Amino acid sequence: MLAFWSLAVVQLPPITSSIEHFHGVNEQCNVVVRSAREAFSSANINLVKLESEVKKLSEMITALPLQTDVDKDVIGAELENEMMRMGEAIRTAVEEIEKLQEKARVNTDGLRLEVNETILGCCQKLMAAIMALVAASKELQMEIVAAGRGGASPQEFYKRNHQWTEGLLSAAKTVGVAARVLVESADGVITRQGKFEQLIVAAQEIAASTAQLFVSSRVKADPNSSKLAALSTSSKSVGQCTAQVVAAVKNGQTTLNEEGDLDFLNLTLHEAKKEEMESQVRILELEQKLVMERKRLAELRKRHYHMAQLAMPEQNGGNGGRDSSFEFIG
């Protein structure tokens, strides 16, 4: 028993280079927890396996690379490259939406064209708002680096504040991916191969991604900074444009559904009863799917929240040399 507890006292190394190195450690922590439950749930407590897993965890933590193991130019250059890729992804999304507008004018007409034009117009406004937010984020980022680096180079500042840098990096990647998903969802609506709900979710997802970028950007900002105020204004604009996209999609969906409503006036008694029963069956099926999908969403959110803790930038200063992300592992 003493041998086990001596192994269980796991010491963290000095500040590590990147949160991504903790993924394996996180999985091993889960293994240790499962082993502990198995060991102490049995009438005959057997700590052999548990001691082995704890020892493995200790070795993995000891082997974590130190911050000094990383080239000081890497993380800063990676962030700058990712910000460029994010900007390019957004510009590409704007161009793709313009192409979708042209496609809609050629392939649709009447009420369907009107709905498509309204939805794509709102998507264009949303992307324009996101472009403004990204530009404001870059301006604020440059101000933060200039104010905080002193005589050091920007790369050294990024390395010294690696958790903040990784938070920006994660947010930039998410925004770029969300922009592509929005375009794909809009294309699905226009071509009738996708669902209106997918576009709503995509718009909300890109808004959430830009909110993450906003929060990550302002962590080290001067509260009185004019650039922070500009970023805050841009963030609110993104929220408003997202609401407009959602409203346009819902209104368009309602309009098209009303146009395609069945005419029940000519149904016989037998046909009406059959339609009624089939409708009740569909309702029950949809209710069951809704219950299962909500359960699935809850599990996904739980997993996403856990992963987000590993990539969350340090927002409240140092904590005695310990990487705060590890405190969320378990």
Side-chain angles (χ1 to χ4, degrees), residues 57-76:
L57 173 61
S58 179
E59 292 171 350
M60 291 176 68
I61 293 177
T62 303
L64 285 172
L66 303 181
Q67 185 176 0
T68 52
D69 295 336
V70 179
D71 185 344
K72 67 181 181 181
D73 296 329
V74 170
I75 193 167

Side-chain angles (χ1 to χ4, degrees), residues 15-75:
I15 298 175
T16 53
S17 61
S18 175
I19 292 172
E20 67 183 20
H21 294 103
F22 278 116
H23 291 171
V25 176
N26 181 48
E27 292 302 320
Q28 184 60 23
C29 284
N30 292 329
V31 172
V32 170
V33 171
R34 288 195 296 270
S35 299
R37 287 173 178 167
E38 292 173 2
F40 292 103
S41 63
S42 174
N44 299 320
I45 297 178
N46 185 354
L47 298 179
V48 175
K49 180 181 178 182
L50 180 56
E51 289 179 358
S52 174
E53 297 297 349
V54 171
K55 183 177 180 180
K56 183 178 179 181
L57 173 61
S58 179
E59 292 171 350
M60 291 176 68
I61 293 177
T62 303
L64 285 172
L66 303 181
Q67 185 176 0
T68 52
D69 295 336
V70 179
D71 185 344
K72 67 181 181 181
D73 296 329
V74 170
I75 193 167

Side-chain angles (χ1 to χ4, degrees), residues 93-125:
V94 171
E95 294 173 358
E96 290 297 325
I97 291 175
E98 291 175 351
K99 292 179 182 178
L100 288 178
Q101 288 178 315
E102 296 175 2
K103 183 193 296 186
R105 296 187 186 106
V106 172
N107 298 330
T108 58
D109 55 17
L111 191 59
R112 166 68 68 167
L113 175 59
E114 183 180 336
V115 168
N116 288 343
E117 288 277 13
T118 301
I119 292 174
L120 292 175
C122 290
C123 287
Q124 281 283 43
K125 291 180 181 178

Side-chain angles (χ1 to χ4, degrees), residues 170-189:
S170 173
K173 289 180 179 179
T174 305
V175 171
V177 172
R180 290 191 290 272
V181 172
L182 179 71
V183 173
E184 292 171 359
S185 301
D187 182 61
V189 169

Side-chain angles (χ1 to χ4, degrees), residues 2 17 28 52 62 82 123 143 158 185 188 218 233 245 247 302:
L2 289 175
S17 61
Q28 184 60 23
S52 174
T62 303
E82 191 59 48
C123 287
E143 180 180 78
Y158 286 131
S185 301
R218 74 177 183 181
T233 300
V245 171
K302 187 187 301 182

Side-chain angles (χ1 to χ4, degrees), residues 21-291:
H21 294 103
F22 278 116
H23 291 171
V25 176
N26 181 48
E27 292 302 320
Q28 184 60 23
C29 284
N30 292 329
V31 172
V32 170
V33 171
R34 288 195 296 270
S35 299
R37 287 173 178 167
E38 292 173 2
F40 292 103
S41 63
S42 174
N44 299 320
I45 297 178
N46 185 354
L47 298 179
V48 175
K49 180 181 178 182
L50 180 56
E51 289 179 358
S52 174
E53 297 297 349
V54 171
K55 183 177 180 180
K56 183 178 179 181
L57 173 61
S58 179
E59 292 171 350
M60 291 176 68
I61 293 177
T62 303
L64 285 172
L66 303 181
Q67 185 176 0
T68 52
D69 295 336
V70 179
D71 185 344
K72 67 181 181 181
D73 296 329
V74 170
I75 193 167
E78 187 177 355
L79 174 61
E80 292 171 357
N81 290 336
E82 191 59 48
M83 293 294 284
M84 291 176 60
R85 284 193 290 268
M86 176 183 63
E88 183 60 32
I90 294 172
R91 285 190 292 273
T92 300
V94 171
E95 294 173 358
E96 290 297 325
I97 291 175
E98 291 175 351
K99 292 179 182 178
L100 288 178
Q101 288 178 315
E102 296 175 2
K103 183 193 296 186
R105 296 187 186 106
V106 172
N107 298 330
T108 58
D109 55 17
L111 191 59
R112 166 68 68 167
L113 175 59
E114 183 180 336
V115 168
N116 288 343
E117 288 277 13
T118 301
I119 292 174
L120 292 175
C122 290
C123 287
Q124 281 283 43
K125 291 180 181 178
L126 174 58
M127 296 311 300
I130 291 172
M131 288 183 70
L133 183 141
V134 169
S137 174
K138 289 180 180 178
E139 289 289 328
L140 181 60
Q141 178 187 333
M142 292 172 62
E143 180 180 78
I144 292 171
V145 173
R149 66 188 178 93
S153 67
Q155 287 77 15
E156 289 171 335
F157 176 84
Y158 286 131
K159 178 186 173 182
R160 188 168 65 247
N161 299 276
H162 66 98
Q163 288 182 312
W164 174 71
T165 306
E166 288 180 1
L168 283 174
L169 185 61
S170 173
K173 289 180 179 179
T174 305
V175 171
V177 172
R180 290 191 290 272
V181 172
L182 179 71
V183 173
E184 292 171 359
S185 301
D187 182 61
V189 169
I190 301 306
T191 59
R192 305 188 191 187
Q193 295 178 351
K195 298 179 179 179
F196 285 97
E197 291 81 4
Q198 290 174 330
L199 182 53
I200 291 175
V201 171
Q204 293 172 335
E205 186 64 27
I206 197 170
S209 301
T210 52
Q212 180 187 353
L213 180 63
F214 168 63
V215 172
S216 299
S217 298
R218 74 177 183 181
V219 167
K220 291 186 175 294
D222 179 354
N224 299 318
S225 169
S226 60
K227 288 182 171 55
L228 176 59
L231 179 62
S232 180
T233 300
S234 297
S235 180
K236 292 177 182 177
S237 178
V238 169
Q240 293 170 353
C241 290
T242 301
Q244 291 175 5
V245 171
V246 172
V249 173
K250 289 183 176 180
N251 291 338
Q253 186 178 26
T254 300
T255 300
L256 294 175
N257 285 342
E258 289 176 351
E259 183 188 38
D261 279 346
L262 291 174
D263 182 8
F264 296 115
L265 296 177
N266 297 320
L267 293 179
T268 65
L269 178 61
H270 175 73
E271 290 172 337
K273 188 61 178 178
K274 181 181 178 182
E275 287 288 342
E276 179 185 343
M277 293 179 65
E278 289 179 351
S279 181
Q280 289 176 335
V281 170
R282 283 194 294 271
I283 289 173
L284 291 174
E285 290 174 344
L286 290 172
E287 286 176 344
Q288 180 62 26
K289 287 182 179 180
L290 180 61
V291 170

